[in-house]
Amino acid sequence: MIEVAVVLDRQHRPLHWHEPPDADAAALPDSRDLWEALWAARAQLSGVAHSHLHRGRPAPSWTDLTTFAACEAGLGVRLSWWIVTLDDASCFTHRGPGRYDYTGRTAIDQETAAWIAELRRRSLRDHPAGGLETP
Amino acid sequence: MNQRMIGASQARLNITWDGQNGDLPDSVPFDASDAEIKAWASEALRGGGVPGVTAARRADLQDFVIDRFPATDEMPYNRLFVRPKTPFGIQCG
């Protein structure tokens, strides 16, 4: 199992899958390649999703929150930051007042469900249990 | 910046902020610390000193990182890039 990220366009379709060789089950390391993918897609970008390999309600780590804020500062736009666990998914957006104050909501439509299932499949690809069902 | 004026121990500094991107007019030491580079970049951003980037009085590069690229045959001077960090998850160490 490894954490995986995916860059999403404004129609919530995957633009770029981020599966670096140095990722593990707990973290995706800093990556210039991912930043270049975000910068290249900035005109059509809506957000980024990444997997958390546990069950239950998603919650961003401090690393996640500081990455959300940094990328938005660099790109000059607010984005949607999805976190997908094995049986749930939430979309976090900046609500303020602080720099790192992001609030989650769950709103999974049909198009979102498709890439969520693919994100889980890629995250679990070496797991003996295989892919898990979409909630 | 004229690349012929960048010495072997110097580097061109590129800064990304607020959807814009530009090079600092003056070269900086290639072996400067990340903290030093971020301090110079912040000062330049706040003062409108980065061509192509609108002055940002509240620029804060706390969550940004530095990429370092030595000179090569194709790119005959050192380059430094200030960009947002991108890790996710639980970082150890």
Side-chain angles (χ1 to χ4, degrees):
Chain A
M1 290 193 295
I2 59 164
E3 284 203 8
V4 172
V6 59
V7 178
L8 302 166
D9 71 9
R10 289 179 181 163
Q11 285 72 49
H12 308 292
R13 295 176 304 208
L15 284 170
H16 172 81
W17 290 96
H18 180 59
E19 301 168 277
D22 51 353
D24 61 33
L28 282 161
D30 180 67
S31 165
R32 182 171 178 84
D33 287 347
L34 178 56
W35 168 248
E36 288 182 342
L38 294 173
W39 182 255
R42 64 191 184 280
Q44 52 187 326
L45 187 62
S46 73
V48 180
H50 74 280
S51 51
H52 279 189
L53 301 175
H54 60 79
R55 291 184 181 275
R57 177 170 294 184
S61 68
W62 182 249
T63 296
D64 294 340
L65 291 169
T66 51
T67 290
F68 300 168
C71 290
E72 291 178 353
L75 293 164
V77 293
R78 292 292 182 189
L79 297 173
S80 297
W81 299 94
W82 286 87
I83 298 177
V84 176
T85 65
L86 299 179
D87 58 359
D88 203 350
S90 291
C91 178
F92 294 84
T93 52
H94 185 260
R95 287 288 183 269
R99 180 193 303 191
Y100 305 121
D101 293 339
Y102 286 77
T103 302
R105 64 177 173 80
T106 300
I108 300 175
D109 57 24
Q110 196 167 5
E111 288 194 350
T112 303
W115 64 252
I116 285 177
E118 177 64 10
L119 181 62
R120 288 196 181 111
R121 189 191 69 77
R122 291 176 183 244
S123 300
L124 294 169
R125 61 181 180 264
D126 294 323
H127 190 268
L132 298 178
E133 71 281 2
T134 301
Chain B
M1 177 183 291
N2 184 338
Q3 67 187 54
R4 289 174 300 185
M5 297 174 63
I6 301 176
S9 64
Q10 298 290 109
R12 186 174 74 178
L13 177 58
N14 179 272
I15 304 166
T16 295
W17 179 260
D18 198 24
Q20 304 164 91
N21 182 281
D23 293 335
L24 207 62
D26 295 326
S27 62
V28 301
F30 188 49
D31 63 355
S33 69
D34 286 5
E36 289 173 321
I37 293 165
K38 285 203 263 186
W40 296 327
S42 297
E43 183 180 355
L45 286 170
R46 291 171 185 157
V50 185
V53 181
T54 305
R57 293 179 59 191
R58 302 174 74 175
D60 183 341
L61 301 173
Q62 174 180 319
D63 298 316
F64 282 49
V65 295
I66 315 297
D67 290 325
R68 298 169 186 265
F69 295 95
T72 64
D73 290 343
E74 293 75 30
M75 187 63 69
Y77 52 90
N78 304 314
R79 293 173 298 156
L80 298 166
F81 293 84
V82 181
R83 63 153 174 94
K85 72 185 189 74
T86 64
F88 295 102
I90 307 299
Q91 306 296 312
C92 300

